[in-house]
Amino acid sequence: MTKARKNILITGGAGFIGSHVVRHFVHKYPDYQIYNLDALTYAGNLENIKDLESAPNYHFIKGNIKDIEFINGIFEKHQFDAVIHLAAESHVDRSITNPNDFIETNVLGTANLLNAFKASHDLLEDKLFYHVSTDEVYGSLGKEGLFTETTPYDPQSPYAASKAASDHFVRAYGNTYGLPFVISNCSNNYGPNQFPEKLIPLFINNIKHNKPLPVYGDGNYTRDWLYVLDHAIAIDEIFHRGSMGETYNIGGFNEWTNLNLIQLLCSLMDEKLKRPKGSSEKLITYVKDRAGHDRRYAIDAGKINKELGWKPSVTFEQGLEKTLDWYLSNDEWLENVTSGAYQEYYQKMYS
Ligand code: NAD
Ligand code: DAU
């Protein structure tokens, strides 16, 4: 896939992963026009992309992918050559309490984008709809084995089901209407700009404030962690060199049980905050398990490695170091996103 697609819509670019993807494309491809469409939900934050405001090839559009008329209008106006779709409700715990938000944004919102993209071109050849998805669509693994691109879908949470449904719609539009697409399914990301509802930034913030670290269930759940910039680089590779109609799994080759990860985080934070060894671990508090909690995720990223030569560029140690340093030197960002509605959410979740 080497066709020039220079007029690109990226959705969800004010969120965690999207902000890194947008920045990567704006800087690396100055001859592309990058349109960042985001509704600025609780998870979207213009601070994440403030540095791009004056870039000549960057444009921000505030809008909601649930709004059909608005979406049709921007596709008609800008005639995008390609879409990189990241906008989503992304937190599993919120999908347990408010599943409809996930159905509306992740399923219907994706369908709105597919319809508008299809309608905006007489010829779809040379265009591309890149759908960013998750390894959670595959369900939960036992002790052994890895998710490959041919693992059957078996989503377990409302979030995972909504992402699986959106993946199915993308493939169905490819099959039925010849819409050119690629899908990538990625493991757990971490890094700067991640909203402190997800494990790593939540625990960094809680350690900083000497608050309890709520470990769900027995803590022996496994996730495969990837530094967010490596995800952005993988998306770039797939966007430019991936095969049309294909799926690529992206992962960190980096499995950790929650407990081991939390212990590592605690010891790194003790060092950074110059607190006595073992003080952060004392904050660990076992709490009620997440409903339907998937036991283990682990990705076989062999296909993207073999076909596109991609592999993570930073080790977990390097990535965590960068992440902790970022959170500890961005007090204002953290204060801003944890004030207001966040406090209400936190009380409901953890008291
Ligand atoms: P995030 O929650 O940090 O950001 C989501 C962004 O989408 C926000 O800026 C939000 O304002 C925007 N958004 C939400 N609903 C919208 C709507 N209706 N219209 C327009 N914009 C809307 O999410 P993230 O963690 O950056 O995840 C981005 C994408 O990557 C998602 O599709 C997610 O499923 C996928 N993904 C995430 C991970 C991960 O570990 N975080 C891993 C694999 C895949
Ligand atoms: O695998 C990819 C997915 O990773 C993405 O698609 C999702 O958008 C992203 O949120 C993430 O989902 P998880 O549910 O794995 O991430 P989270 O950070 O919420 O939780 C990681 C693990 O830590 C999980 O086993 C639940 C546990 N956990 C989480 C929180 C927030 C706790 O034990 N305590 C907590 O307070």
Side-chain angles (χ1 to χ4, degrees):
M1 280 201 316
T2 47
K3 309 265 166 34
R5 297 187 196 92
K6 297 187 171 179
N7 199 31
I8 303 171
L9 176 71
I10 300 182
T11 68
F16 166 48
I17 301 171
S19 61
H20 293 277
V21 173
V22 166
R23 179 172 299 101
H24 179 85
F25 273 75
V26 166
H27 285 165
K28 189 166 170 196
Y29 303 105
D31 59 332
Y32 291 5
Q33 294 300 317
I34 303 297
Y35 293 82
N36 173 9
L37 168 71
D38 199 297
L40 300 179
T41 68
Y42 79 92
N45 184 351
L46 287 176
E47 286 296 312
N48 293 345
I49 27 146
K50 200 171 167 36
D51 54 307
L52 299 179
E53 268 168 13
S54 56
N57 63 334
Y58 172 72
H59 317 271
F60 180 72
I61 304 172
K62 184 170 188 283
N64 201 308
I65 61 170
K66 296 190 276 191
D67 183 341
I68 299 181
E69 262 177 49
F70 170 78
I71 291 298
N72 287 343
I74 62 161
F75 274 82
E76 217 169 280
K77 178 170 176 201
H78 296 290
Q79 299 283 303
F80 304 113
D81 302 320
V83 177
I84 304 177
H85 176 36
L86 294 108
E89 290 291 342
S90 69
H91 192 41
V92 173
D93 290 324
R94 291 185 193 251
S95 82
I96 295 168
T97 43
N98 291 316
N100 280 11
D101 291 348
F102 288 70
I103 298 165
E104 285 166 19
T105 284
N106 300 359
V107 187
L108 297 176
T110 301
N112 291 340
L113 292 172
L114 288 167
N115 288 332
F117 190 43
K118 182 163 81 65
S120 66
H121 296 291
D122 292 332
L123 276 180
L124 283 164
E125 207 190 335
D126 296 351
K127 309 297 176 222
L128 178 66
F129 192 97
Y130 185 140
H131 182 59
V132 176
S133 192
T134 171
D135 60 358
E136 299 203 10
V137 298
Y138 300 123
S140 185
L141 289 163
K143 281 199 172 71
E144 304 292 323
L146 300 170
F147 296 134
T148 72
E149 287 80 0
T150 55
T151 301
Y153 274 34
D154 186 21
Q156 298 295 315
S157 70
Y159 164 69
S162 69
K163 292 296 291 186
S166 65
D167 293 10
H168 288 320
F169 272 102
V170 174
R171 290 197 183 95
Y173 273 57
N175 180 58
T176 310
Y177 308 113
L179 183 119
F181 75 91
V182 280
I183 298 179
S184 54
N185 297 83
C186 189
S187 65
N188 287 60
N189 285 215
Y190 70 98
N193 295 354
Q194 189 169 30
F195 193 79
E197 61 186 352
K198 311 278 165 60
L199 182 73
I200 291 182
L202 173 74
F203 278 36
I204 292 172
N205 190 43
N206 283 14
I207 292 172
K208 202 176 146 204
H209 293 100
N210 271 308
K211 283 167 72 174
L213 304 177
V215 176
Y216 295 163
D218 62 7
N220 283 315
Y221 292 85
T222 299
R223 297 291 183 266
D224 170 356
W225 293 93
L226 178 69
Y227 189 60
V228 63
L229 257 177
D230 279 323
H231 189 183
I233 294 167
I235 289 173
D236 176 1
E237 293 296 339
I238 295 168
F239 181 87
H240 290 97
R241 300 195 297 119
S243 299
M244 204 67 84
E246 287 291 317
T247 296
Y248 294 88
N249 279 356
I250 307 170
F253 304 95
N254 182 35
E255 282 185 55
W256 287 76
T257 65
N258 292 344
L259 267 184
N260 287 343
L261 167 57
I262 291 160
Q263 281 158 354
L264 173 64
L265 209 55
C266 286
S267 76
L268 293 172
M269 285 294 282
D270 285 346
E271 273 173 41
K272 296 265 175 209
L273 297 172
K274 302 198 181 355
R275 290 180 183 167
K277 237 178 163 182
S279 32
S280 299
E281 268 201 42
K282 289 190 189 134
L283 299 170
I284 290 178
T285 309
Y286 289 88
V287 300
K288 188 165 170 260
D289 209 348
R290 172 184 279 175
H293 199 168
D294 287 337
R295 197 66 172 166
R296 176 171 165 257
Y297 304 145
I299 282 273
D300 176 351
K303 177 174 170 177
I304 183 172
N305 178 249
K306 276 191 214 87
E307 287 186 15
L308 306 179
W310 175 92
K311 61 178 190 324
S313 69
V314 297
T315 64
F316 196 39
E317 290 69 24
Q318 291 166 332
L320 270 184
E321 174 86 17
K322 285 171 193 278
T323 305
L324 297 191
D325 287 346
W326 188 85
Y327 279 96
L328 293 174
S329 54
N330 282 276
D331 288 333
E332 203 180 321
W333 185 95
L334 209 44
E335 294 301 321
N336 286 344
V337 300
T338 55
S339 59
Y342 180 85
Q343 292 302 327
E344 230 172 89
Y345 165 79
Y346 193 88
Q347 288 304 323
K348 264 200 202 137
M349 271 301 295
Y350 296 111
S351 58

